[in-house]
Amino acid sequence: MNHTLASTLGELQTKIYWLHDAEKFAELAEAATEIYIKLGYDQQKAENVGYLISEAYQLSDDADLSYKAGEIEKEITFYNQVKDKFIEIEAILGLQKNIAEHQTKWWIHFRHRQKLQVIYHLFLQHLKPLGLTYLFIALQLTYYMLKIGKGHNLRDIEITQKNATKYWIQLLKCNITKYPYLG
């Protein structure tokens, strides 16, 4: 297992969150592209995925604004568009189809501050593609994603990056070719 690769992926993942906060969506797309290049995807696929991830973040912001304005139908429409972006990513990367659903759901529940639902969908996002063989790792990945979120909420880039690196160390241990990470 390459700790340098895990560290680089952790840095890029952290960068995505801070670029999202700064609403620098073109740079966010570039950081996401770099993650998929590092994971072994060709330039075109990685760029397409990076762009789609950036769009998903923008749409989720629109959904959150709709939620805060009490426009629930509009929020649902935006989150359906987010899910469509993730489904496109699944197809490009050849991933199992349910990852998009769980990623979208945990994003919704995160914005609604429904922690148990966040945990549930984060766990399933990792367990379903990894399988029972990697049950313990799926639990660890869920834990690290929660720690990443906490670090980000505290605006502590060091804690966020440390936990993102730990996330990638565990995920790379699985020696799989298709990773259940969508940004």
Side-chain angles (χ1 to χ4, degrees):
M1 209 291 303
N2 187 338
H3 285 278
T4 303
L5 175 59
S7 180
T8 300
L9 294 170
E11 286 175 33
L12 289 166
Q13 182 178 357
T14 301
K15 188 176 182 180
I16 286 172
Y17 301 139
W18 262 258
L19 290 168
H20 172 237
D21 291 346
E23 296 184 3
K24 294 183 178 182
F25 293 107
E27 292 175 46
L28 187 156
E30 291 172 11
T33 297
E34 192 61 30
I35 285 175
Y36 290 95
I37 288 171
K38 298 283 184 198
L39 291 175
Y41 292 95
D42 68 54
Q43 184 76 30
Q44 187 61 51
K45 281 184 180 181
E47 285 177 3
N48 289 342
V49 168
Y51 179 75
L52 290 165
I53 288 171
S54 178
E55 285 184 325
Y57 272 98
Q58 291 172 69
L59 289 164
S60 72
D61 288 348
D62 293 338
D64 192 45
L65 290 173
S66 297
Y67 174 71
K68 289 175 180 172
E71 299 173 330
I72 303 307
E73 287 182 29
K74 199 171 176 184
E75 177 200 19
I76 292 167
T77 299
F78 282 123
Y79 276 124
N80 283 333
Q81 292 173 14
V82 168
K83 187 168 102 175
D84 290 344
K85 299 296 177 190
F86 288 146
I87 288 170
E88 251 186 277
I89 292 168
E90 286 175 340
I92 291 168
L93 301 178
L95 298 174
Q96 186 175 340
K97 294 192 186 277
N98 59 18
I99 295 170
E101 178 183 341
H102 292 297
Q103 175 95 16
T104 304
K105 285 183 178 177
W106 80 254
W107 275 22
I108 293 167
H109 295 299
F110 181 81
R111 293 279 178 105
H112 290 197
R113 301 191 188 320
Q114 298 168 326
K115 191 171 184 173
L116 288 177
Q117 290 297 323
V118 171
I119 294 167
Y120 176 75
H121 289 290
L122 272 171
F123 176 66
L124 290 179
Q125 177 181 343
H126 292 93
L127 179 66
K128 286 185 176 182
L130 296 175
L132 288 175
T133 304
Y134 295 109
L135 173 65
F136 186 67
I137 288 179
L139 288 167
Q140 289 177 310
L141 295 171
T142 302
Y143 173 76
Y144 288 126
M145 285 297 290
L146 293 171
K147 297 290 276 184
I148 291 165
K150 184 175 182 178
H152 180 248
N153 287 343
L154 294 171
R155 299 299 183 248
D156 189 324
I157 198 165
E158 188 177 315
I159 289 173
T160 305
Q161 188 170 326
K162 177 180 145 188
N163 285 297
T165 298
K166 289 178 179 181
Y167 171 88
W168 284 104
I169 287 169
Q170 293 307 312
L171 190 52
L172 293 171
K173 278 183 184 179
C174 297
N175 291 317
I176 55 178
T177 57
K178 297 177 182 180
Y179 299 92
Y181 171 81
L182 298 181

